[in-house]
Amino acid sequence: MNTKYGYIRVSTQEQNEDRQLIALRQLSIPEQNIFMDKQSGKDFNRANYKRLVQKLKPGDLLYVKSIDRLGRNYEEIQNQWRVLTKERGADICVIDMPLLDTRQGKDLMGTFIADLVLQILSFVAQSERENIRQRQLEGIAAAKARGVRFGRPPAPLPDNFPMNYQRWKKREISCTAAAKACGMPLSTFRDRAVIYEKTTSP
């Protein structure tokens, strides 16, 4: 008997997979046949995806919520589609795009239409990813221009930092000695000294 499978991918551990999971459960796919990876789609070094591909047999059916679950790169989506349908002999159904259902239209015209839709959607998926990345970079640049700082806040300065900073500025001790006295790497002491000077200068 042919088996139904489902595949879910979310890009980070923080993202929620519920939307994809609900869609697959509504198709009565057994829980043990639903495979999920929580990591970026930039490559296919994904343990559960590989396990799924190895399980697929000719005639099995794989459901995915959207085409970009197979990848976010035009070439990779095309390659994975070929692996799943040609090498493994499985059918694929993209829930959000009914035209991408390899069980339908297996004649020449149906195959042509499905291939055309796949190419268009693969291109759209890659373009959207690139657009999102560009918007993120522009947003970060704009935030930095407004003085927004990213990353973890710096650790508090040690109590003896001002004293050793002043001794270093007066050339009483070397920068290396001041950093050591503060329990800091030399590069960190220098970076914090620049910030300290800006915040304490009149």
Side-chain angles (χ1 to χ4, degrees):
M1 181 179 296
N2 298 335
T3 306
K4 292 194 297 186
Y5 292 93
Y7 180 66
I8 295 171
R9 178 179 60 76
V10 289
S11 297
T12 66
Q13 292 292 335
E14 289 75 26
Q15 287 187 340
N16 196 300
E17 68 276 7
D18 287 352
R19 186 176 64 89
Q20 297 177 65
L21 192 56
I22 290 170
L24 295 176
R25 284 172 173 166
Q26 288 174 343
L27 297 167
S28 301
I29 299 173
E31 291 290 327
Q32 67 270 23
N33 289 351
I34 296 177
F35 291 76
M36 178 170 62
D37 285 301
K38 286 193 174 186
Q39 68 184 74
S40 170
K42 66 182 178 180
D43 57 51
F44 270 77
N45 294 321
R46 294 184 272 170
N48 286 327
Y49 180 80
K50 289 181 177 180
R51 287 179 54 226
L52 167 63
V53 172
Q54 291 302 313
K55 279 183 170 291
L56 288 172
K57 303 182 300 296
D60 286 347
L61 175 59
L62 172 63
Y63 285 96
V64 292
K65 185 74 169 66
S66 57
I67 191 65
D68 61 357
R69 298 307 88 192
L70 294 180
R72 295 186 178 181
N73 166 295
Y74 177 88
E75 182 179 357
E76 193 58 67
I77 291 173
Q78 299 283 328
N79 286 342
Q80 293 305 314
W81 191 273
R82 177 186 54 77
V83 168
L84 296 168
T85 60
K86 305 300 184 186
E87 295 182 13
R88 306 304 298 184
D91 280 310
I92 305 176
C93 178
V94 180
I95 299 170
D96 286 349
M97 180 52 63
L99 280 173
L100 287 179
D101 184 344
T102 58
R103 296 170 299 174
Q104 310 298 325
K106 289 185 178 289
D107 58 7
L108 183 61
M109 181 58 70
T111 301
F112 171 76
I113 292 173
D115 286 347
L116 185 62
V117 172
L118 173 63
Q119 291 189 43
I120 292 171
L121 291 181
S122 301
F123 173 79
V124 169
Q126 179 172 339
S127 296
E128 180 60 17
R129 184 185 185 197
E130 291 173 357
N131 289 338
I132 290 172
R133 176 63 176 163
Q134 182 61 33
R135 289 195 294 269
Q136 288 174 337
L137 292 175
E138 290 171 357
I140 291 170
K144 285 183 176 179
R146 295 194 306 269
V148 176
R149 298 184 64 182
F150 294 87
R152 293 183 301 176
L157 291 173
D159 292 339
N160 65 345
F161 183 88
M163 178 187 69
N164 285 289
Y165 168 80
Q166 292 299 334
R167 293 185 65 198
W168 167 63
K169 291 294 287 184
K170 294 176 182 177
R171 300 181 182 273
E172 295 176 3
I173 59 174
S174 68
C175 189
T176 301
K180 185 175 181 180
C182 293
M184 292 178 166
L186 179 59
S187 59
T188 301
F189 179 85
R190 285 174 172 161
D191 290 342
R192 300 302 294 273
V194 171
I195 298 171
Y196 182 79
E197 185 169 359
K198 289 179 179 179
T199 56
T200 57
S201 59

